[in-house]
Amino acid sequence: MSGYILRRLGQAVPVLLGVTFVVFLLMYLTPGDPVQLFMGQAGIVSQEEIERVRHEFGLDRPFVEQYGLFLGGILRGNLGQSIIYRRPVATLIGERLPATIELTLFASLIALLVAIPAGVVAAVRRNTWLDAIGTTVSLLGVSLPGFWLGLILIFVFSVMLKVLPVAGRASYGTGLHWQTGFLLLDAMLQGNWPAFVDILRHLVMPALALSAGMMAMTMRLTRSSLLETIHQDYVRTAQAKGLPQRWVILRHALRNALLPVVTAITLNVGALLGGNMVVETVFSWPGLGRLVVEAVESRDYPLIRGCVLVYAVTYVFLNLIADLSYARLDPRVAAGGGKR
């Protein structure tokens, strides 16, 4: 297993290098000068001052030199300094990342608690009204854009019913700024249940909007995978031995049916982390996705590069988790007898 992990980590290095190069190249070729844009908004039109700031951020150097400095900074743990915020990029990301992780994990939890049982029921009750409802709901979940679903949730639960806050994140003292930290976990550990409920109320709608796509895809994949597994010989053998149907499904069929589902789940979690920009903007959620939107609007190249690097590392890490989970469920993968 250790050799398998090392092989996967070795494959991740060129992927990360490729991502950093492509992003850096795109930022370099994008028309416009972020420093001139920022200085113009600040009311500073002196060309000398603009050139000084461009030199400070290394934007007056050749592409190869800029890229080399960027890679060198990554190796030292330095992602550069934001042009707009005039603060270290790593600090800005560190402040926003917990809010995004909290939203993503909660959305993933909702998706899994609904999708896997619904997929199992749809497979076991194939061609019944339960299967039809599950298929229809999953089709809607895949089809509905997150921002549209978010606006519908706001209209129903905030405007009409007035039971949930419109947007934003709950204000709760954690010893840090209210935007940072895992607020839900912190409130639960401290036994502060009024704060826990308030945090949960702010979290529910963006999590539902974010989880819809993952929920639908996981449900459909669980159903189709379980339908294939149910007809395997070992499942028929277990049924012939007189084992209870529930035991056969959960102990024998579902374990092997979850092999492709595990991979899809981990990659979908990465997709939620990387695709939460629209949802965070709709709900004014102070996370990494909203920070990326702000950085793109202001052409803050160092901040964009740092955020994209975090997304790339997250995808690689989750892909490794998916591979290890797959190898755990099917040892032939780690031994080289199976293919991913």
Side-chain angles (χ1 to χ4, degrees):
M1 180 67 76
S2 59
Y4 178 73
I5 296 175
L6 291 176
R7 286 199 306 272
R8 303 303 293 175
L9 288 175
Q11 295 170 1
V13 174
V15 172
L16 292 176
L17 284 175
V19 169
T20 59
F21 179 79
V22 171
V23 172
F24 202 96
L25 181 63
L26 291 176
M27 294 296 100
Y28 185 80
L29 296 177
T30 301
D33 187 346
V35 173
Q36 194 162 12
L37 175 65
F38 169 68
M39 302 294 273
Q41 292 176 346
I44 301 174
V45 295
S46 170
Q47 190 62 33
E48 292 78 9
E49 185 65 18
I50 292 175
E51 291 300 327
R52 185 191 67 78
V53 176
R54 292 188 79 252
H55 179 75
E56 177 184 342
F57 286 94
L59 298 178
D60 57 346
R61 302 184 182 186
F63 171 79
V64 176
E65 189 174 350
Q66 289 188 40
Y67 183 63
L69 291 173
F70 176 65
L71 290 181
I74 293 176
L75 294 177
R76 297 191 304 270
N78 180 14
L79 298 180
Q81 181 143 332
S82 167
I83 297 175
I84 302 301
Y85 294 97
R86 305 306 294 263
R87 297 174 60 197
V89 170
T91 301
L92 291 170
I93 293 176
E95 290 177 354
R96 301 290 190 101
L97 190 58
T100 292
I101 293 176
E102 185 175 63
L103 175 60
T104 301
L105 292 180
F106 193 70
S108 302
L109 180 62
I110 292 175
L112 297 182
L113 289 178
V114 174
I116 293 181
V120 172
V121 170
V124 174
R125 301 286 186 242
R126 185 183 182 187
N127 297 328
T128 65
W129 64 272
L130 288 173
D131 186 19
I133 291 176
T135 302
T136 303
V137 171
S138 66
L139 181 61
L140 288 174
V142 172
S143 305
L144 296 180
F147 73 90
W148 187 86
L149 181 57
L151 293 176
I152 293 299
L153 291 174
I154 290 174
F155 178 74
V156 173
F157 293 101
S158 298
V159 179
M160 294 182 61
L161 301 179
K162 302 184 185 302
V163 294
L164 294 175
V166 175
R169 196 179 186 206
S171 180
Y172 175 58
T174 60
L176 301 172
H177 192 273
W178 70 270
Q179 290 184 344
T180 66
F182 301 100
L183 303 188
L184 194 67
L185 179 62
D186 190 59
M188 183 173 63
L189 293 177
Q190 294 190 22
N192 191 339
W193 300 116
F196 180 86
V197 172
D198 186 44
I199 295 166
L200 198 61
R201 291 176 66 248
H202 284 80
L203 191 57
V204 166
M205 285 200 298
L208 284 174
L210 191 62
S211 67
M214 178 181 178
M215 189 187 305
M217 293 179 63
T218 304
M219 183 266 176
R220 290 171 65 89
L221 185 58
T222 302
R223 176 186 179 274
S224 60
S225 181
L226 188 57
L227 283 175
E228 292 181 6
T229 308
I230 285 176
H231 300 292
Q232 297 296 322
D233 291 339
Y234 65 89
V235 176
R236 293 196 186 100
T237 301
Q239 292 172 335
K241 289 180 178 180
L243 295 176
Q245 181 69 5
R246 179 179 300 179
W247 178 264
V248 172
I249 295 296
L250 297 180
R251 181 66 179 85
H252 295 276
L254 186 59
R255 175 184 174 89
N256 292 297
L258 286 179
L259 285 173
V261 177
V262 166
T263 302
I265 288 172
T266 50
L267 295 181
N268 273 325
V269 172
L272 293 187
L273 278 171
N276 56 7
M277 302 171 192
V278 174
V279 171
E280 287 191 1
T281 301
V282 169
F283 289 96
S284 298
W285 189 262
L288 191 59
R290 191 176 173 198
L291 182 66
V292 172
V293 173
E294 295 170 356
V296 171
E297 289 177 346
S298 57
R299 295 183 182 177
D300 194 338
Y301 294 164
L303 187 53
I304 295 173
R305 292 194 292 260
C307 292
V308 171
L309 180 63
V310 170
Y311 284 134
V313 171
T314 302
Y315 265 102
V316 169
F317 175 75
L318 290 174
N319 194 41
L320 177 62
I321 295 298
D323 290 336
L324 295 179
S325 302
Y326 207 98
R328 178 69 177 175
L329 292 171
D330 187 354
R332 294 174 300 171
V333 175
K339 292 184 179 180
R340 277 278 287 105

